Structure formats: C-alpha cells, structure tokens
Amino acid sequence: MVHRFRVVLAALALGWTLAHGGDVQAQSGARKGWLGIGMDAPRDAAGVRVTKVMSGSPAQKAGVHDGDLLVRIDGTKVGSPEEVQRVVGGHATGDVLRVTVLRDGVESTLNVSLAPRPSRDEQNRLEFVGRPAPAWTKVDAVKGVHKDLSSLRGRVVLLDFWATWCGACRAMTPTLSAWQARYGAQGLSVIGMTTDGRDEAAAFAEKANMKFGIAVDESAATHRAYSISALPTLFVIDKRGVVRDVVIGYDPSHEAQIDALVRTLLAES
C-alpha cells in the first residue's frame, strides 16, 4: 500500500493524469461533469462504497454521505470505481444523474446535478479550508516535532508534505527554513511530513540543511487523511488548529502571499 502510494505521488509529480482516491472527475474536456466523491469496492457488498464526500461538491449537495453504498447510476448497476468513473465521465456539466445509494439497509435515489471539475488546488480548499486540520496517525517524529497536531495548538503551523525524490520539494526547502528562522520565536512551527523511511528522511534533512521539524508517516495514513495527491503540498494551519490555506506545488511567486498570511495568523489572539 505504501509503495503504491509513493508510485502515485511520483506519477503526479511528473505530471501524469491519474485519478486520486477514486475521486470522480473528467479526465479530459472542460465540459465534463464532476461528482466529487472518493470510493472503493467493498468485498462484502454489491456496489461501490463512498469513502469521502467532498465539501461543496454536487454529491454533498444532493445528500450523498460518507459510507453510502452506491448501487446504480441512472438505473445502471455499478460494481467498481472504474464503472462509476465511466458512467459519470460520459455526462457533461449541468446534467442531472439519478444516483441510487444503500444506507442502513434502505435504498434511496438522489438527483445529482454535475458541476465543472475544480482544479486540484480548488478541490483541496473546498475540502479543508475553514475546517479543523485532520489529526495525525502513526507519525514518527524525526526531529523537532511532537507526535500529534493537538500539541501545537496555540502556534501557527506550516505543514509541508514532501519526499526525498521530489525536486520541487528540495527547491522549497530554503524558503521553509527561512520562515522557521524568521517567525519561530513568534509562534510559527514549520513541519515537513514524508512517507520516506526514518533513516532516509533524517539523512536527507541533514544533507539538505532543513532547519525545521521533520516527521515520518511511513504508513501514509496521515497523507491519506489530508488527501495528498501531489508534492509538495503545504497546509497553513492557525493557532486554533483550523486550516486557512492549502497550496499545491512550488511557485516562488506565491511566497509573498504565504508570508503575509503567516504574519496575519501570528498576530491573531
């Protein structure tokens, strides 16, 4: 599982087009419709399990819930995420699909009006901004990091998901180190989270002169909780533990905006 997770991240870093987490979205064409769910195929039931409904998505607005078993779309039985993608991908923005779900043993049919597919940045903001940052699971602190996010309450946190093989991550390292040096005493904690092994991460952090906390998520459980689909991905978390922004990729032109947001959050009571 962890190996496959790293392969997917590597592919995305190279710009390949892959669906992440079963999210139903058009693979091409701006007019294709978007449903906004994560899913898998359970072994003990006929249908497709909804693992996550994205906030603000067409599925959420129609009343689809996490844990629903999706059994039919417009009367067509579906038994795999690929089948759902194929059916939804054949419809355009604005089309209304009759989605039949099984919930607590009771079937119901919901009318879902498909929306345009948001960009990856927009999807992450829809899902996380304004909501409490997910708790960390099975995280191993390498240096300067507590094992749980709640221990950092009262501090502003820049949580950067990275990997040793990620060139953009390496390019971002000096900026992260500079932010830690500039604002650490004022209440900022910069933390790099990776699925690489502990020894590998520690050696790389030393070589790259990473002047901020490093944590290892070898099981990838925390990466999945944050819906990480590309590296680097930076979460800006305020003193209350609420996500205030999500930035995917590295673009030096965004540094001033992030710096300004950090200063604003540090000034909040």
Side-chain angles (χ1 to χ4, degrees), residues 57-266:
S57 68
Q60 186 198 48
K61 292 176 181 178
V64 179
H65 293 179
D66 291 358
D68 282 354
L69 189 69
L70 206 166
V71 292
R72 290 186 300 277
I73 299 179
D74 279 350
T76 300
K77 290 184 178 180
V78 289
S80 71
E82 291 76 19
E83 289 180 1
V84 177
Q85 289 179 346
R86 184 166 57 253
V87 173
V88 175
H91 290 78
T93 296
D95 286 354
V96 178
L97 300 185
R98 292 178 293 107
V99 177
T100 302
V101 300
L102 183 65
R103 183 187 306 158
D104 298 327
V106 178
E107 278 194 8
S108 60
T109 299
L110 308 170
N111 292 322
V112 182
S113 179
L114 299 181
R117 176 173 63 92
S119 69
R120 192 179 298 141
D121 279 27
E122 291 168 339
Q123 290 183 42
N124 276 270
R125 290 190 177 99
L126 280 171
E127 185 173 1
F128 292 104
V129 172
R131 294 171 174 78
W136 299 349
T137 303
K138 298 179 181 178
V139 167
D140 185 12
V142 174
K143 71 166 189 173
V145 178
H146 297 282
K147 288 191 175 183
D148 59 272
L149 183 62
S150 62
S151 64
L152 293 168
R153 195 64 53 86
R155 297 184 65 83
V156 176
V157 177
L158 291 182
L159 179 59
D160 179 59
F161 290 87
W162 67 285
T164 57
W165 46 260
C166 169
C169 302
R170 292 194 294 271
M172 192 170 177
T173 292
T175 300
L176 295 172
S177 294
W179 278 329
Q180 181 62 66
R182 187 180 308 146
Y183 300 120
Q186 300 177 42
L188 175 70
S189 291
V190 179
I191 297 167
M193 184 83 68
T194 181
T195 58
D196 292 327
R198 178 184 176 88
D199 292 343
E200 182 182 5
F204 185 88
E206 182 68 23
K207 180 180 179 180
N209 199 29
M210 291 181 167
K211 300 297 185 181
F212 49 89
I214 302 297
V216 167
D217 175 33
E218 282 198 78
S219 71
T222 298
H223 278 61
R224 287 191 292 272
Y226 282 79
S227 296
I228 301 303
S229 61
L231 298 178
T233 294
L234 181 71
F235 280 74
V236 183
I237 303 170
D238 68 18
K239 297 177 182 179
R240 299 172 297 135
V242 174
V243 177
R244 301 292 286 268
D245 200 3
V246 184
V247 181
I248 298 176
Y250 173 59
D251 184 346
S253 66
H254 292 163
E255 290 180 10
Q257 179 181 347
I258 298 171
D259 189 281
L261 177 57
V262 167
R263 285 187 277 110
T264 296
L265 298 181
L266 288 171

